[in-house]
Amino acid sequence: MDAAATFAALFATLYVAHSVGDHWVQTSCQADEKGGAGWAGRWACTKHVIGLTATKGVLLVPVAVVLDLDLSVLGLLLGLGIDAVTHWWADRRTTLARFARVVGKSEFYSLGTPAHPVHPVTAEGTPAAHLGTGAYALDQSWHHLWLLVAALLIATV
């Protein structure tokens, strides 16, 4: 299989595994506490990233075997490693919020929250339910960028 096809198979697998790991495997406690201050927050985030990375590994194995992908241990370690580190960094929350502020995306980051200047409200003027936030969209797009990098590393190293 050529590098482009290997990359495509890896990216699709990592994308699905990311969604499963970030939404089904992550515990409510990890989601609640991973952005918290101190070692408790760091540990919650670390446990989340361990589960997320394990999910990616578990899904990569059958895909690699069935498709007979020629992958190196070094490529897997580099790809999954950079993905894990960048995921942990963003999921500490203050880091991604600070980055959004630096690049001029603070208003979008607060979209869907009462902090946004035009936040959704009910007829009574109270905050309305919504399907997502700018913070979540920026978080996921950050992760997708690094999934692309991870797939390239795994496919080519």
Side-chain angles (χ1 to χ4, degrees), residues 17-24 26 48 52 87 91 139-140 143:
H18 167 83
S19 186
V20 171
D22 224 17
H23 301 107
W24 286 96
Q26 178 174 211
H48 162 53
L52 177 72
H87 196 101
D91 275 19
D139 171 81
Q140 290 301 299
H143 297 323

Side-chain angles (χ1 to χ4, degrees), residues 32-70:
D32 292 343
E33 296 176 7
K34 67 185 178 184
W39 287 106
R42 289 183 197 104
W43 180 237
C45 194
T46 299
K47 290 187 291 186
H48 162 53
V49 171
I50 289 169
L52 177 72
T53 304
T55 302
K56 290 173 183 173
V58 165
L59 292 181
L60 279 172
V61 168
V63 169
V65 169
V66 170
L67 298 178
D68 194 29
L69 302 180
D70 184 24

Side-chain angles (χ1 to χ4, degrees), residues 101-123:
R101 190 171 47 254
V102 167
V103 299
K105 300 300 278 183
S106 290
E107 187 173 331
F108 182 74
Y109 187 89
S110 69
L111 184 69
T113 72
H116 193 271
V118 289
H119 64 277
V121 294
T122 65

